[in-house]
Amino acid sequence: MKIAVTDQPLNPWKELANHEALLKDQAGKWGGLATFIGTMRDYNEGETIDALWLEHYPGMTENYLQRLAHTAHQRWEIVDTLILHRVGQIYPADTIVIIGVWSAHRAPAFEACRYLIEELKHRAPFWKQETCSQGCRWVTTNTPPYSAP
Amino acid sequence: MKIAVTDQPLNPWKELANHEALLKDQAGKWGGLATFIGTMRDYNEGETIDALWLEHYPGMTENYLQRLAHTAHQRWEIVDTLILHRVGQIYPADTIVIIGVWSAHRAPAFEACRYLIEELKHRAPFWKQETCSQGCRWVTTNTPPYSAP
Amino acid sequence: MTITVKFFASLREQIGTNQLKLTLHTPLTMEQVWTSACPNTPLPEYLLMALNKEYVQADAIVKEGDEVAFFPPVTGG
Amino acid sequence: MTITVKFFASLREQIGTNQLKLTLHTPLTMEQVWTSACPNTPLPEYLLMALNKEYVQADAIVKEGDEVAFFPPVTGG
């Protein structure tokens, strides 16, 4: 289980490959990996976005993500979990978030992966400020709570 | 949209990175990528599996996967889709299937990705033969049809 | 008129061949093709069938040059 | 007794500081801490609050050395 918040660019393929390499002992034990990779779009609500500033609450954000991962491990039969989130100044097409759930079967992998991204968006302390031609504005639309199947 | 059946080893990170590189023109248009990577387990129904032989129906299998991808594109708002499936002789921890769905939003990405793997398992002409200490046996448990949300 | 009949996976092993050519004197349904191709084997309960690489039902009509395939439930992914 | 009060994102900009120290003479609730820290700003409707990096409600009691944080609805991912 790895949770990290970073201000460095995230390469999803490298991060996933590196993390899976750490699970070598358990190779053959999982049959499915579900991932979600969130990427910065260059538009939002009909407007062109030039850049995004991502703020977080150091310490609390990591704790919160850690707790989410633990909850997922209690709720579903999971081999391992990866949650990485970018902060600081980012630009269109940059990776914002990487979630990976390894499991023996695909149903828990999909469900836990979806649960993690929904709960992260609903409650993890991150805030986005968009830079567009009209200047800067804080994003205010919060994601509603998720009811897992 | 890329569909392929191959008897060569699949490196999921390389395949996903290569495919995403082809979508360069549309960088910034998608906000989410949901992927599913199916891997060979070293056990099934309580028994150790040493190897798997994967057979398909050349021509029909590719047509069927192509049709699935088209259906997903009609049903969900999707930027692009990747479906790769391995055939021939494979061993534990080898990648069997890679599915990737790029979309502006995460809900269609997740739903279409799940739909594709479920329909692939339910109807795409592939057959698995397991090699275990007792010899060889054809897998017979078919996946039931999937009702997407 | 000649058609091709293919078998896959466990069915290929059971029938003992992956492919045979059949000469028909009149158009047949898929089920009749099975009976002509495998006269000693009753139609398996969970059989899937394809005509020219598309799934069809047992009553589909087979014509000159068609490719027919019979196979067990699929188990990929 | 001294506590730390943090503000994030739009709230940090609105209040004009990311952090302040507050000296209390008696234990206060989170809501009372807000009133002491921002006497001129009514409690925002969609305010989230954390005590020692855990979400709490407005009636949680703040003690010596605690870290209090106020912030708007989150928008990550």
Side-chain angles (χ1 to χ4, degrees):
Chain A
M1 196 159 83
K2 183 183 169 185
I3 308 297
V5 175
T6 175
D7 60 3
Q8 297 302 304
L10 286 170
N11 176 324
W13 327 118
K14 218 175 103 181
E15 296 292 346
L16 287 162
N18 287 350
H19 191 74
E20 194 167 282
L22 299 175
L23 306 179
K24 220 167 36 183
D25 303 357
Q26 296 173 82
K29 299 304 167 225
W30 72 80
L33 161 61
T35 78
F36 178 76
I37 296 163
T39 303
M40 190 192 150
R41 290 197 312 262
D42 57 12
Y43 66 98
N44 194 23
E45 292 170 21
E47 231 174 328
T48 300
I49 310 298
D50 301 318
L52 210 57
W53 171 258
L54 263 157
E55 188 172 325
H56 78 303
Y57 182 174
M60 178 171 175
T61 305
E62 293 83 347
N63 291 351
Y64 193 80
L65 296 179
Q66 199 82 44
R67 174 140 355 128
L68 279 187
H70 272 119
T71 305
H73 278 254
Q74 285 172 338
R75 211 152 145 186
W76 288 279
E77 215 185 289
I78 287 173
V79 172
D80 206 40
T81 302
L82 174 69
I83 307 177
L84 304 175
H85 201 292
R86 178 85 181 273
V87 290
Q89 185 73 28
I90 71 166
Y91 297 94
D94 280 359
T95 297
I96 298 176
V97 60
I98 299 170
I99 295 186
V101 178
W102 286 260
S103 172
H105 302 286
R106 69 192 180 288
F110 269 107
E111 286 164 22
C113 187
R114 184 79 194 262
Y115 165 81
L116 289 172
I117 184 64
E118 296 295 333
E119 287 299 308
L120 182 156
K121 290 182 82 88
H122 176 55
R123 282 291 264 189
F126 290 104
W127 301 273
K128 279 177 186 149
Q129 190 182 49
E130 294 173 343
T131 307
C132 59
S133 53
Q134 269 78 51
C136 287
R137 61 179 181 203
W138 289 97
V139 178
T140 55
T141 37
N142 178 250
T143 299
Y146 180 66
S147 17
Chain B
M1 196 158 86
K2 184 183 170 186
I3 309 296
V5 175
T6 174
D7 61 1
Q8 297 302 303
L10 285 171
N11 175 324
W13 327 119
K14 219 175 103 181
E15 296 292 346
L16 286 162
N18 287 350
H19 191 74
E20 193 167 283
L22 299 175
L23 305 180
K24 219 168 36 182
D25 303 357
Q26 295 172 83
K29 298 305 168 223
W30 72 79
L33 161 61
T35 78
F36 178 76
I37 296 163
T39 304
M40 190 191 149
R41 289 196 313 261
D42 57 12
Y43 67 97
N44 193 23
E45 292 170 19
E47 231 175 326
T48 300
I49 310 298
D50 301 318
L52 210 57
W53 171 259
L54 263 158
E55 188 171 325
H56 78 303
Y57 183 174
M60 179 169 174
T61 306
E62 292 83 347
N63 290 351
Y64 193 80
L65 297 179
Q66 199 83 43
R67 175 142 353 131
L68 279 186
H70 273 120
T71 305
H73 277 252
Q74 284 172 338
R75 211 152 143 186
W76 287 280
E77 214 185 289
I78 287 174
V79 172
D80 206 41
T81 302
L82 174 69
I83 306 178
L84 304 175
H85 201 291
R86 178 85 181 274
V87 290
Q89 184 73 30
I90 71 165
Y91 297 96
D94 279 359
T95 298
I96 298 176
V97 59
I98 299 171
I99 295 187
V101 178
W102 286 260
S103 172
H105 302 284
R106 69 193 179 288
F110 269 107
E111 286 165 21
C113 186
R114 184 78 194 264
Y115 165 82
L116 289 172
I117 184 64
E118 296 295 333
E119 287 298 309
L120 182 156
K121 290 183 81 87
H122 176 55
R123 282 290 263 188
F126 292 105
W127 302 273
K128 280 177 185 150
Q129 191 183 48
E130 293 173 343
T131 307
C132 59
S133 54
Q134 268 78 52
C136 287
R137 62 178 182 205
W138 288 97
V139 178
T140 54
T141 36
N142 177 250
T143 298
Y146 180 65
S147 18
Chain C
M1 79 187 212
T2 304
I3 63 164
T4 306
V5 183
K6 290 174 181 261
F7 304 95
F8 289 95
S10 55
L11 205 61
R12 171 174 52 71
E13 291 183 346
Q14 192 189 328
I15 303 298
T17 183
N18 65 338
Q19 179 169 325
L20 49 82
K21 298 273 176 189
L22 216 61
T23 306
L24 310 181
H25 305 290
T26 159
L28 294 183
T29 64
M30 291 289 288
E31 186 165 356
Q32 290 167 328
V33 169
W34 172 272
T35 310
S36 302
C38 321
N40 302 316
T41 316
L43 204 71
E45 193 180 355
Y46 294 108
L47 186 71
L48 296 176
M49 34 188 100
L51 179 55
N52 298 324
K53 301 186 167 114
E54 301 278 346
Y55 278 111
V56 291
Q57 300 298 319
D59 59 357
I61 303 294
V62 180
K63 297 193 196 68
E64 166 70 20
D66 281 351
E67 177 177 303
V68 164
F70 297 105
F71 46 82
V74 306
T75 56
Chain D
M1 78 190 212
T2 303
I3 62 165
T4 306
V5 183
K6 289 173 182 261
F7 304 95
F8 289 94
S10 56
L11 206 60
R12 171 174 51 70
E13 291 183 346
Q14 191 189 329
I15 303 298
T17 183
N18 64 339
Q19 179 170 324
L20 49 83
K21 298 274 176 188
L22 216 60
T23 305
L24 310 179
H25 304 291
T26 160
L28 295 185
T29 64
M30 291 291 286
E31 185 166 356
Q32 290 166 328
V33 169
W34 172 272
T35 310
S36 301
C38 320
N40 302 314
T41 316
L43 203 70
E45 193 181 355
Y46 294 109
L47 186 71
L48 296 175
M49 35 189 100
L51 180 57
N52 299 324
K53 300 185 166 115
E54 301 278 347
Y55 278 110
V56 290
Q57 299 298 318
D59 59 357
I61 302 295
V62 180
K63 298 194 195 70
E64 167 70 22
D66 280 352
E67 178 177 301
V68 165
F70 297 105
F71 45 81
V74 306
T75 57

